[in-house]
Amino acid sequence: MNSKVLQVAVVGGGAAGFYTAGRLLARHSGVLVDIFERLPTPHGLVRYGVAPDHPEVKNCQTRFEEIANDPRVRLFGNTPIGNRVSVDLLRQQYGGVVMAIGADKDRELGIPGEQQIVSARQFVAWYNGLPEAQELRPDLTSDDTAVIVGHGNVALDCARILLTDPDKLRATDITQQALEALQRNRIRHIHMIGRRGPLQVSFTAKELREMTKIPGLEMVTDRELLTSQCGSDEGKELLGRKRGLKRMMGILDNHTKNRSEAEKTFTLGFLRTPQQVTMDPKTLRCQINQLEGAPEGAKAIPTERITDIPCGLILRSIGYASTPLEGVPFDSRRRIMPNVAGRVTHGKELIEGLYVSGWIKRGPLGVIATTMQDAYRTADALLADIQQGTIKQTDRIKSDQALAEAGVNDMTRVSNEDWKRLAEHEFQRGQRRGKPREKVTNVGEMMRIIKR
Ligand code: NAP
């Protein structure tokens, strides 16, 4: 029997992996796709990154389910690629291999005392139930003031979760453990600091507006700086071109004070670069910057002045970072797998049959819709190569044997049916608590539920 088929392996079961797979299936009836995911659970940051109070953002999971239910797709959950199942093995056994492994670390500040700082990525993963983040135990009780470093949407997500009444989160899919910890949370004042000014923030208007809706919360900022930046000729010109930014400056203008004595405050601090963390009492020392250059690409230039912020919890939210995987070139400066339109390159050479999609392709920026569009471009490159005849057909029986020899079997692998069983268990647990789901947060427990 001829078992030669057009098989593609997708490494990573997050949004980038699923959207790449979906496009391949939609555009080519003969393609078979195997999705490899290191965790027993698929959906990556949609499950473990999107804030629990943003359920509408998770609607894309319905599309991922449709893709996983396609008979041409097989899910290999709990199957990390790298050690026993190497990228080289996949490249031998599949016509195309798409790397969609995202960004699993974060950027660091590189300052003395950084070990006292908690990664915002980990904090988000903790309240969303990622197994490896469950030991985090963020300090929510030693002080009423926290600092978040960074002016992106992840920073705003963390601030909102910390300042929202936990009763409002009760009906979301936040984990029970996080909910209980947040009920003991004493943090009432958050300083969210960035190294540049109001015109250089990375967060977006919708997320900023949500902060204005938190009952009893007053927002504080340096209004003089806001007015001077927005009112300068260059500022006006930029705001004329960027409607989203103009809307945000309007929100800040309408909803902030210069100072506040309220019981709950959210202070947006500008021109602050963390310099060191000192203890007893815990303090984040920051250098005060001035801006140089046109607003759009303005640089933060340190001055001699410093300011100290006494606080308990400090979160670092300055962006995610990808890590390399053996068998695939890695650009350690840009922290991506080098590629031309999704085809992985080594120097000037294209590596035949190797593709990349998502944050590992372009860096840790953009919302799910950006990842979808970008995944389609990678899939289209692969489809064009099928048309050109550069993607080889491979033998499914032999590739399944090779996977089995590398230790992939029905006891270790989580199939789509297995995942559905776990998801159903989570829905039922959630239902009892009036939540959409109660996530299982331990890999051993996940496997017991799946395989019992
Ligand atoms: P981000 O948007 O890139 O923001 C990173 C922030 O960190 C910026 O303010 C940046 O300031 C600052 N930063 C970087 N390096 C720094 C350093 N060495 N020292 C001090 N500050 C530094 O990253 P993110 O918040 O992690 O978000 C990642 C992506 O996910 C974004 O595209 C975001 O929109 C998306 N996301 C969306 C949502 C949503 O739609 N609700 C939620 C979460 C995440 P500079 O500009 O000065 O570099």
Side-chain angles (χ1 to χ4, degrees), residues 240-251:
R241 276 189 289 123
K242 300 214 158 181
R243 283 172 50 198
L245 190 61
K246 188 172 178 188
R247 228 175 289 138
M248 276 198 288
M249 295 307 111
I251 296 170

Side-chain angles (χ1 to χ4, degrees), residues 54 107 109 150-155 157 195-196 200 202 207 317-320 359 364-367:
H54 284 170
R107 289 194 200 127
L109 290 160
H151 278 167
N153 276 329
V154 170
D157 279 352
R195 58 186 169 181
R196 299 192 290 161
Q200 290 80 34
S202 298
E207 283 66 28
S317 184
I318 61 170
Y320 288 49
W359 280 5
L365 277 184
V367 293

Side-chain angles (χ1 to χ4, degrees), residues 15 39 79 92 146 151 154 161 211 219 232 250 252 257 267 292 337 363 394 396 411 416 429 442 450:
L39 289 165
T79 311
Q92 283 154 22
H151 278 167
V154 170
I161 294 294
M211 297 303 293
M219 287 177 36
S232 71
L252 287 183
K257 299 178 168 181
T267 304
E292 202 176 273
M337 291 175 172
T394 48
R396 174 151 278 213
M411 282 318 289
N416 190 38
R429 279 203 333 174
N442 174 288
I450 288 169

Side-chain angles (χ1 to χ4, degrees), residues 45 49-51 54 56-57 107-110 120-121 124 149-157 160 192-197 200-204 206-207 210 272-274 298 300 316-320 359 362-368 370:
L45 281 182
V50 173
H54 284 170
E56 70 289 350
V57 180
R107 289 194 200 127
E108 291 178 1
L109 290 160
R121 179 185 60 81
V124 169
V149 182
H151 278 167
N153 276 329
V154 170
L156 271 186
D157 279 352
R160 193 179 65 255
M192 194 168 121
I193 60 165
R195 58 186 169 181
R196 299 192 290 161
Q200 290 80 34
V201 295
S202 298
F203 50 72
T204 41
K206 176 180 164 284
E207 283 66 28
E210 284 175 310
R272 304 275 184 275
T273 295
R316 180 189 58 222
S317 184
I318 61 170
Y320 288 49
W359 280 5
R362 62 177 203 281
L365 277 184
V367 293
I368 293 165
T370 327

Side-chain angles (χ1 to χ4, degrees), residues 32 56 64 102 123 157 159 207 222 260 272 354 370 386 410 412 418:
L32 303 180
E56 70 289 350
F64 300 163
F123 180 67
D157 279 352
E207 283 66 28
D222 179 346
S260 163
R272 304 275 184 275
L354 193 56
T370 327
I386 292 175
D410 285 348
T412 62
D418 292 335

Side-chain angles (χ1 to χ4, degrees), residues 200-252:
Q200 290 80 34
V201 295
S202 298
F203 50 72
T204 41
K206 176 180 164 284
E207 283 66 28
L208 181 62
R209 192 170 295 110
E210 284 175 310
M211 297 303 293
T212 69
K213 306 264 164 67
I214 297 178
L217 180 74
E218 285 198 350
M219 287 177 36
V220 176
T221 200
D222 179 346
R223 295 193 51 88
E224 215 173 285
L225 180 73
L226 183 69
T227 313
S228 69
Q229 279 225 339
C230 297
S232 71
D233 288 346
E234 285 174 319
K236 281 189 207 155
E237 190 275 329
L238 181 66
L239 293 174
R241 276 189 289 123
K242 300 214 158 181
R243 283 172 50 198
L245 190 61
K246 188 172 178 188
R247 228 175 289 138
M248 276 198 288
M249 295 307 111
I251 296 170
L252 287 183

